[in-house]
Amino acid sequence: EVQLVESGGGLVKPGGSLRLSCAASGFTFSSYSINWVRQAPGKGLEWVSSISATNYIYYGESVKGRFSISRDNAKNSLYLQMDSLRAEDTAVYYCARRRIEYTYAPAFDYWGQGTLVTVSS
Amino acid sequence: QSVLTQTPSASGTPGQRVTISCSGSSSNIGGNTVNWYQQVPGTAPRLLIYNDNQRPSGVPDRFSGSKSGASASLAISWLQSEDEADYYCAAWDDSLNGSLFGGGTKLTVL
């Protein structure tokens, strides 16, 4: 069974840092592009970042220069290092697997349950 | 305001057919495939349609997708109460070099 489990969320002050993790199981992690998608309270979905199976990396405009995505295939894990956090980064952060046949398309077939990040003083 | 534009709300009665639209541009919907998601509040999104009109296994054939130019639509036939949820379109954008989601459409089953 495919599973994605996020962790690392919590309360952080503006300007602070946080590192999210996503533990994957049930599939060949190294073969898939994995993405971060977030959802602010009461708002819609926003794509944050992606890392392909061959380590091509993309970021959304709102997080460029502040967030960094990485993966450790030996540990079947995805990470999101979030620096210079702002109140508007407050959201539930989901990791999501892209269907294997796609390089770019946001066709995310499995999602984790999400981890809440709250940026507040 | 999202680059992919969806009407904020839609409604229908059980058994009806409803359509949710998503409007973009040549750099996203017009040049790339469209995907649709269903999200029941408090849960993770679920992929309903990929590659404009393909359904993942397990998605009922009551859900269908179509695209024309820079606009796409999700149709739900034989509306059921459990279809009440938020629906999002998504596509890659060549200009932004990133993925985009529409603002979402809240579907109410009356």
Side-chain angles (χ1 to χ4, degrees), chain B:
Chain B
Q1 192 168 351
S2 303
V3 175
L4 302 184
T5 302
Q6 296 182 240
T7 51
S9 63
S11 62
T13 56
Q16 267 191 330
R17 182 178 189 270
V18 297
T19 301
I20 294 169
S21 63
C22 177
S23 177
S25 67
S26 58
S27 64
N28 41 69
I29 293 176
N32 296 292
T33 60
V34 177
N35 310 274
W36 289 93
Y37 294 87
Q38 176 193 60
Q39 186 182 33
V40 175
T43 70
R46 171 196 183 196
L47 182 63
L48 277 184
I49 297 289
Y50 67 97
N51 197 24
D52 298 340
N53 54 23
Q54 302 299 300
R55 283 185 308 277
S57 61
V59 174
D61 59 7
R62 301 187 297 106
F63 294 91
S64 62
S66 63
K67 188 175 82 172
S68 177
S71 294
S73 295
L74 172 72
I76 309 172
S77 302
W78 298 105
L79 197 63
Q80 300 178 3
S81 58
E82 57 261 37
D83 298 333
E84 188 161 288
D86 297 317
Y87 292 83
Y88 297 90
C89 58
W92 179 264
D93 190 288
D94 295 324
S95 297
L96 295 174
N97 231 17
S99 292
L100 292 173
F101 283 93
T105 298
K106 182 177 181 60
L107 175 64
T108 301
V109 180
L110 303 169

Side-chain angles (χ1 to χ4, degrees), chain A residues 35 37 39 43-47 50 58-59 61 64 94 98-99 101-109 111-114, chain B residues 33 35 37 39 42-47 50-51 54 56-57 86 88 90-92 96-104:
Chain A
N35 294 250
V37 177
Q39 187 169 35
K43 302 297 185 182
L45 301 172
E46 180 187 12
W47 174 78
S50 69
Y58 299 92
Y59 295 102
E61 288 296 317
K64 273 182 188 174
Y94 295 99
R98 176 179 280 129
R99 285 181 62 97
E101 65 265 43
Y102 294 108
T103 303
Y104 305 112
F108 306 138
D109 57 358
W111 296 64
Q113 85 290 349
Chain B
T33 60
N35 310 274
Y37 294 87
Q39 186 182 33
T43 70
R46 171 196 183 196
L47 182 63
Y50 67 97
N51 197 24
Q54 302 299 300
S57 61
D86 297 317
Y88 297 90
W92 179 264
L96 295 174
N97 231 17
S99 292
L100 292 173
F101 283 93

